[in-house]
Amino acid sequence: MATARTRILLADDHALVRRGLRLILDAEPDLTVVAEAADGAEAVEAVRRDEIDLVVLDIAMPRMTGLQAAREISRRAPGVRILMLSMHDNEQYFFEALRAGASGYVLKSVADRDLLEACRAAMRGEPFLYPGAITALIRDYLHRARQGEKLPESILTPREEEIIKLIAEGNSAKEIAEALVISVKTVDRHRANILAKLGMRDRIDLTRYAIRAGLVEP
């Protein structure tokens, strides 16, 4: 039986870049570009209108940037995976991309090499990090350790630990709900409780906690 192809939305304000990336993606048997957008606002609209599994967003676009679009898509369609494309090996952009809900950050200079792997990793629920991004994460972790930041005492229930582990592994609320046979609303409530208990704000904080608590491997 043929495997369903991952339906991709490609958003970049340069038509030539979109064409080049489309050639790379459409040549693969498991990937297909079903929509294109020239800016972030078009990308958000396309996700609302079309059946999309994965969005590849350029960070720098007119009207609405890729980061703004990623935040909006994460809010409106949390089941859609997001990859950010950038010309810049920039730690700030990288961390902002993660905060916006992206599961990967691909440099345009090596997109021909990294994009396919990043798409497949995103669809498996795994993060895709280029070598410079991994270095940035390690530097950030070591900086926090030197500052003497400590883990809170374990105040999470076993179910909350289960959920934080699944979040840190890149699963969406829908996937977590399916894995644990609970409703998406219950997952969201647990997530809100976890954030409140730990005094944390977002997925990045939860992932750091999960690594330090030994719930997931870094």
Side-chain angles (χ1 to χ4, degrees):
M1 194 173 74
T3 308
R5 299 176 91 183
T6 296
R7 295 163 299 191
I8 299 170
L9 163 65
L10 207 48
D12 193 294
D13 55 319
H14 294 101
L16 277 175
V17 173
R18 293 201 307 273
R19 191 178 308 160
L21 295 175
R22 184 170 196 147
L23 283 171
I24 294 168
L25 294 166
D26 281 345
E28 299 300 305
D30 56 330
L31 306 171
T32 181
V33 175
V34 296
E36 293 186 21
D39 59 53
E42 279 185 22
V44 171
E45 175 59 26
V47 168
R48 190 188 67 75
R49 186 185 64 235
D50 301 322
E51 289 285 320
I52 305 289
D53 302 309
L54 173 67
V55 181
V56 179
L57 293 166
D58 182 25
I59 275 189
M61 290 189 288
R63 276 180 76 205
M64 181 188 276
T65 69
L67 290 170
Q68 289 172 311
R71 289 188 199 102
E72 191 65 18
I73 291 165
S74 292
R75 188 176 67 78
R76 292 189 186 190
V80 173
R81 308 284 187 182
I82 300 170
L83 289 176
M84 302 305 300
L85 269 179
S86 178
M87 291 173 62
H88 307 289
D89 182 354
N90 178 302
E91 285 184 25
Q92 187 60 36
Y93 280 155
F94 164 65
F95 283 115
E96 285 298 325
L98 294 185
R99 285 193 190 94
S103 59
Y105 187 97
V106 179
L107 294 178
K108 282 188 179 180
S109 56
V110 288
D112 57 334
R113 185 190 75 204
D114 286 354
L115 185 58
L116 299 178
E117 186 186 341
C119 288
R120 291 175 180 130
M123 294 312 297
R124 290 194 303 268
E126 298 169 6
F128 178 85
L129 307 175
Y130 67 96
I134 295 168
T135 303
L137 275 179
I138 293 169
R139 192 184 301 122
D140 180 65
Y141 178 87
L142 293 175
H143 171 72
R144 287 165 179 272
R146 280 195 296 271
Q147 302 255 314
E149 287 189 24
K150 289 186 171 63
L151 281 171
E153 291 300 315
S154 186
I155 54 174
L156 301 179
T157 65
R159 175 45 61 97
E160 285 170 344
E161 285 198 344
E162 212 171 4
I163 285 172
I164 200 173
K165 174 174 165 54
L166 290 166
I167 290 171
E169 288 170 348
N171 293 285
S172 68
K174 183 171 180 288
E175 288 165 333
I176 294 170
E178 287 170 359
L180 300 180
V181 199
I182 56 179
S183 72
V184 171
K185 195 173 285 186
T186 301
V187 173
D188 289 339
R189 192 171 67 245
H190 277 306
R191 184 177 181 275
N193 288 342
I194 293 165
L195 289 170
K197 277 186 180 182
L198 299 177
M200 294 177 175
R201 294 175 308 165
D202 53 28
R203 181 186 283 262
I204 296 175
D205 289 341
L206 291 179
T207 302
R208 287 196 190 108
Y209 175 89
I211 290 169
R212 294 181 195 179
L215 296 172
V216 293
E217 289 187 14

